[in-house]
Amino acid sequence: SDRLVEAWAIGEKAGNRYDVEGHQIEDEYVETAEPLSRSPEERSIIAKRVIAEKCLYGVDMNPLAVELAKLSLWLTTLSKGHPFGFLDHNLKSGNSLLGIDDLNQVIDLSMTPDKTNQERLFGRSISEAVTAATEIRHSLREIPIRDIKDVERMANMDRESRELIQLPILLADALVGIELAEANARNRNERIEVLAGLADDAARGNSAILSNIRVKTVEDLETDNPSDALRKPFHWPLEFPEVFGRENGGFDAIVGNPPFLGGKRITGANGTSFRNFIVRHIAGNQ
């Protein structure tokens, strides 16, 4: 946010003008736009709001930690006359190590997708749903938050984007569940082929199939789980499609705690199936 304030100052010296949201004002709107405050303190708060609403993403296994993050950002960016920014689309709960990191994994239903494969019906359905959800999320992020109605509008758009990707998330969960439940590669492949057939039926509108997939997925995800907490995979390209679907997708910078558990301690805390998943798909079988 400090760098953003500096950028405004540099732009103003070059003759540019900025509105109260920090956007550059086009010449035809100079007379009608509300200008950016001259107060350094107010500019700092506005910059923090812009960064919090448009640039920050966060994931934590503990849902309470996510809510505390929202509260912390609210206290940091509190601005007179403005409601708290909508952050539900950027701060989410889930296991950041357990899930897919490439959209093709769920399109192909394979943790090692072959991008030359012709998409099946469910694959095309996933691609279309993610594209539509991405467009909504782009529009959501462009809404200036001036009153509570803007926040409500953003919440509705977030809900709409979530509904679009229900099937992709369920299939990604199911794929991860099979990876956890089946130690034998042949068994995994056989079950994934069955899942692909069910996914095609679901894409055709057979809602009863979704319930069957969901029940089995919950059972698979809890395979060998020593913890009372349910495993909740986090699928990065589905949760943040505008980040991972862009050219050279991914985050520009990451801040986080490293996983402190290592070796056998991973198994004790998370189970053998979880450790095997990490070894196969994150550690490269090392």
Side-chain angles (χ1 to χ4, degrees), residues 115-277:
K115 297 180 182 180
T116 63
N117 286 346
Q118 184 177 2
E119 288 184 8
R120 294 180 57 153
L121 174 61
F122 72 85
R124 294 193 296 274
S125 177
I126 289 172
S127 297
E128 293 169 359
V130 172
T131 297
T134 302
E135 292 176 356
I136 292 174
R137 286 176 61 87
H138 277 306
S139 298
L140 183 159
R141 292 165 60 81
E142 295 304 316
I143 296 176
I145 303 176
R146 297 190 175 92
D147 56 42
I148 193 64
K149 291 183 179 179
D150 295 324
V151 177
E152 292 172 351
R153 181 182 170 197
M154 294 175 77
N156 290 334
M157 293 176 71
D158 181 58
R159 192 177 304 111
E160 183 181 353
S161 70
R162 294 288 301 174
E163 290 174 355
L164 283 170
I165 59 171
Q166 280 187 346
L167 177 60
I169 285 181
L170 175 58
L171 294 180
D173 280 352
L175 175 62
V176 171
I178 291 172
E179 290 287 326
L180 291 172
E182 303 296 343
N184 182 276
R186 179 176 178 179
N187 292 344
R188 288 198 299 271
N189 292 337
E190 289 177 352
R191 286 199 54 194
I192 288 173
E193 188 58 34
V194 172
L195 176 63
L198 295 175
D200 279 340
D201 288 340
R204 293 187 182 96
N206 189 337
S207 58
I209 293 293
L210 295 177
S211 298
N212 296 335
I213 295 175
R214 189 170 289 110
V215 169
K216 186 58 179 173
T217 296
V218 170
E219 178 183 331
D220 287 340
L221 289 175
E222 292 310 299
T223 299
D224 184 39
N225 185 5
S227 170
D228 292 333
L230 297 177
R231 288 182 177 139
K232 185 181 178 182
F234 191 85
H235 309 295
W236 296 92
L238 297 177
E239 299 288 354
F240 303 137
E242 73 279 11
V243 175
F244 288 84
R246 62 178 181 163
E247 186 178 356
N248 193 29
F251 293 106
D252 299 302
I254 299 173
V255 179
N257 291 330
F260 295 103
L261 293 177
K264 295 181 180 179
R265 295 172 63 193
I266 296 177
T267 301
N270 298 283
T272 301
S273 61
F274 178 88
R275 179 186 180 279
N276 290 343
F277 181 93

Side-chain angles (χ1 to χ4, degrees), residues 22 75 77 102-103 107 123 191 229 241 261:
L75 294 172
T77 62
D102 180 345
L103 184 60
I107 289 176
R191 286 199 54 194
L261 293 177

